[in-house]
Amino acid sequence: MATPFEIDNSFISEQNQKTDDWVEEDYQHLSKKLRRQNVDIEDLVTRAEAFRVAIPSWGVGTGGTRFARFPGPGEPRDIYEKLEDCGTIYKLVRSTPAVSLHIPWDKPEDAGDLREFARQRDLHFDAMNSNTFQDQPGQKHSYKFGSLTHPEKSVREQAIQHNIECIEVGKALGSKAHTVWIGDGGNFPGQQHFRRALERYLESMREIYAALPDDWRVFIEHKFYEPAFYSTVINDWGTSYYCARELGPKAFCLVDLGHHAPNVNIEMIVARLIQFGKLAGFHFNDSKYGDDDLDSVSVKPFQLFLIFNELVDAELNQEPHFDPAYMLDQSHNVTDPIESLMMSGVELVRAYIQAHLVDRQELTDAQAKCDPLRALATLKQAFTTDVAPILAAARARAGGAIDPIGTFRASGYRQRKAEERPARKGAAASGIV
Ligand code: RM4
Ligand code: MN
Ligand code: MN
């Protein structure tokens, strides 16, 4: 087999040279501007370079809705090709060295081999993700009426074993966390006994928790609806927090931005979980109506900034148990997934750096003096600062692209993959469906 096409580092630097001059000019200008605020631009570049977010293995395939999926050319057909695409994203944006694996969609036949393949591309594995929201071919019991909370012990047992298997695969891959999201819930009033279902959840999770290695964490992901449309068992952060506390110190609460009702104050939930020492991390995406899985920052940039404002505040205060794991959880239905993931990767660093620009002394003072307008103005000052030159410098210094999407398009990567990866008969590339 011919060696798969890769974007050369020399191609990236050639492309960078085209824009080097104006990036430098903008950088110098911003540097002067920030100096007036007593901010050292180099410090922000260092922070931008250190920012990390994981790519979900399923994110590099085209997503879809329950109505249709429109596959794009050159989609990855297996986990190795998915890792190739993750490696390409990482090369260009430099903030995405980790991959979060979904089992069984991307279950490796040989975990050691996959780990080595990832290592050769400077990638490693972040949190594992189990799937008990679908039935798999040959599976003994159905999850139609639930998994970890199913009324029948044998179904629960099967779902528990699946999660333990995910941990086993994760151990071989070098992962250190396991994320559990269940689709369990009810479509009709009366269908489920709310309290008993939650008791069964805890009983099942205790067994999964017991299988965690000492240095692992388990992440509980809540979601208020879908696929169950009337009630879900782990419906909100309060339930998630209760369960994490019941389970013990290795259990934390994961916030997926799309898993809340419209208008919920997510930044406040984040602050609460930080305060209680139970924030696991995030599945980043954006949403308008529900779990739309839109690209991060496509609809509500100020919300993401406010979330990062809480995260940076906690980081600077060195809050105990604060070690958030970041992942993008998006469904790329109408865009090239590589382009979407690169843009989102960049947007997250932007929100993070903008949050670092908040004058915390000024904000604390405005709060103490009961001056809401000054408090908001302090936040807006940071939010409206164009930090693009900082992000570009961070990428370029780490060997990435000043213009990741332009460079990706100019490289012809997708066209080359379309030739290398003809659709395999009967193989449905997975995305979120
Ligand atoms: C769920 C949830 C999970 C993701 C699945 C595909 O809504 O966000 O994290 O694994 O979708
Ligand atoms: Mn999620
Ligand atoms: Mn979701």
Side-chain angles (χ1 to χ4, degrees):
M1 206 185 89
T3 323
F5 173 72
E6 270 185 52
I7 300 177
D8 262 0
N9 289 333
S10 59
F11 180 77
I12 299 176
S13 43
E14 266 166 41
Q15 294 291 310
N16 282 356
Q17 274 159 25
K18 294 186 187 163
T19 38
D20 261 354
D21 288 354
W22 68 256
V23 169
E24 185 54 28
E25 212 177 295
D26 289 358
Y27 188 85
Q28 291 308 335
H29 176 72
L30 182 60
S31 161
K32 276 189 209 147
K33 201 174 152 208
L34 293 178
R35 218 173 295 145
R36 286 200 296 274
Q37 300 165 34
N38 283 326
V39 175
D40 175 12
I41 196 167
E42 284 296 322
D43 173 55
L44 293 176
V45 177
T46 309
R47 288 183 191 279
E49 276 187 75
F51 185 87
R52 295 284 176 253
V53 57
I55 302 288
S57 57
W58 61 98
V60 285
T62 309
T65 66
R66 63 198 165 97
F67 298 101
R69 192 179 89 85
F70 301 100
E75 278 194 316
R77 299 163 301 174
D78 59 33
I79 183 58
Y80 288 94
E81 292 180 349
K82 287 180 184 183
L83 286 189
E84 266 181 28
D85 287 359
C86 292
T88 301
I89 296 169
Y90 180 46
K91 248 190 184 183
L92 293 168
V93 300
R94 309 308 296 164
S95 53
T96 58
V99 180
S100 199
L101 215 62
H102 185 287
I103 307 290
W105 291 344
D106 293 311
K107 187 174 165 188
E109 268 171 35
D110 180 339
D113 187 58
L114 191 71
R115 189 176 182 173
E116 178 53 24
F117 187 84
R119 201 195 52 77
Q120 286 163 6
R121 282 152 190 81
D122 295 327
L123 300 171
H124 62 270
F125 292 96
D126 210 304
M128 303 297 293
N129 300 270
S130 59
N131 177 343
T132 60
F133 48 89
Q134 286 175 326
D135 287 346
Q136 304 302 328
Q139 184 181 305
K140 195 162 177 207
H141 304 289
S142 171
Y143 296 133
K144 180 174 177 182
F145 292 109
S147 58
L148 294 178
T149 77
H150 196 282
E152 280 189 33
K153 177 109 178 102
S154 52
V155 186
R156 299 202 296 278
E157 199 44 50
Q158 177 181 282
I160 292 165
Q161 286 315 319
H162 166 70
N163 277 278
I164 293 175
E165 189 199 341
C166 291
I167 296 171
E168 289 304 319
V169 176
K171 279 198 233 168
L173 290 172
S175 169
K176 291 273 177 247
H178 179 52
T179 302
V180 183
W181 171 71
I182 52 167
D184 296 32
N187 272 13
F188 294 92
Q191 182 184 335
Q192 279 195 333
H193 189 285
F194 294 150
R195 295 201 308 277
R196 270 178 228 143
L198 188 59
E199 271 163 28
R200 291 195 289 265
Y201 175 80
L202 273 171
E203 194 187 292
S204 300
M205 283 299 285
R206 280 196 184 101
E207 289 194 41
I208 298 168
Y209 189 93
L212 285 174
D214 286 346
D215 57 347
W216 272 53
R217 298 186 291 169
V218 67
F219 301 160
I220 300 172
E221 182 178 0
H222 63 271
K223 181 172 182 177
F224 75 123
Y225 89 112
E226 200 200 20
F229 288 139
Y230 168 67
S231 64
T232 61
V233 181
I234 307 299
N235 58 310
D236 62 10
W237 75 275
T239 308
S240 171
Y241 173 66
Y242 168 77
C243 293
R245 270 196 67 156
E246 288 293 305
L247 288 171
K250 290 190 267 180
F252 293 84
C253 311
L254 185 129
V255 179
D256 182 313
L257 296 188
H259 292 188
H260 308 86
N263 300 332
V264 163
N265 188 335
I266 302 178
E267 55 273 25
M268 202 165 167
I269 294 173
V270 172
R272 293 284 187 261
L273 289 173
I274 292 170
Q275 187 163 9
F276 305 155
K278 282 292 189 190
L279 180 70
F282 290 82
H283 281 182
F284 288 112
N285 51 50
D286 211 342
S287 72
K288 179 84 180 149
Y289 299 106
D291 192 21
D292 309 324
D293 286 303
L294 298 174
D295 289 10
S296 295
V297 195
S298 51
V299 186
K300 292 176 285 198
F302 193 49
Q303 182 190 59
L304 190 74
F305 166 77
L306 294 174
I307 289 169
F308 270 102
N309 178 45
E310 297 304 325
L311 296 169
V312 166
D313 187 79
E315 177 192 314
L316 296 173
N317 269 318
Q318 301 185 333
E319 290 295 321
H321 309 291
F322 180 72
D323 181 19
Y326 298 149
M327 188 192 95
L328 291 161
D329 189 5
Q330 314 180 150
S331 184
H332 312 110
N333 303 350
V334 295
T335 55
D336 183 316
I338 291 184
E339 295 188 5
S340 269
L341 287 162
M342 288 197 299
M343 188 183 256
S344 300
V346 170
E347 289 305 316
L348 292 182
V349 196
R350 189 190 313 281
Y352 175 67
I353 293 302
Q354 285 178 322
H356 264 290
L357 274 178
V358 172
D359 185 335
R360 305 232 158 238
Q361 191 50 51
E362 179 79 5
L363 186 61
T364 310
D365 212 48
Q367 289 165 350
K369 305 235 166 73
C370 303
D371 190 343
L373 201 84
R374 182 148 72 99
L376 176 64
T378 306
L379 292 180
K380 283 285 178 74
Q381 154 87 28
F383 177 65
T384 54
T385 305
D386 180 5
V387 297
I390 298 176
L391 310 187
R395 284 194 299 275
R397 286 184 200 179
I402 289 176
D403 173 7
I405 293 174
T407 305
F408 173 74
R409 289 189 176 186
S411 76
Y413 183 90
R414 189 54 82 190
Q415 290 82 343
R416 296 292 295 268
K417 293 298 150 187
E419 289 156 24
E420 284 173 18
R421 303 170 177 173
R424 275 179 199 150
K425 255 212 158 124
S430 64
I432 301 173
V433 276

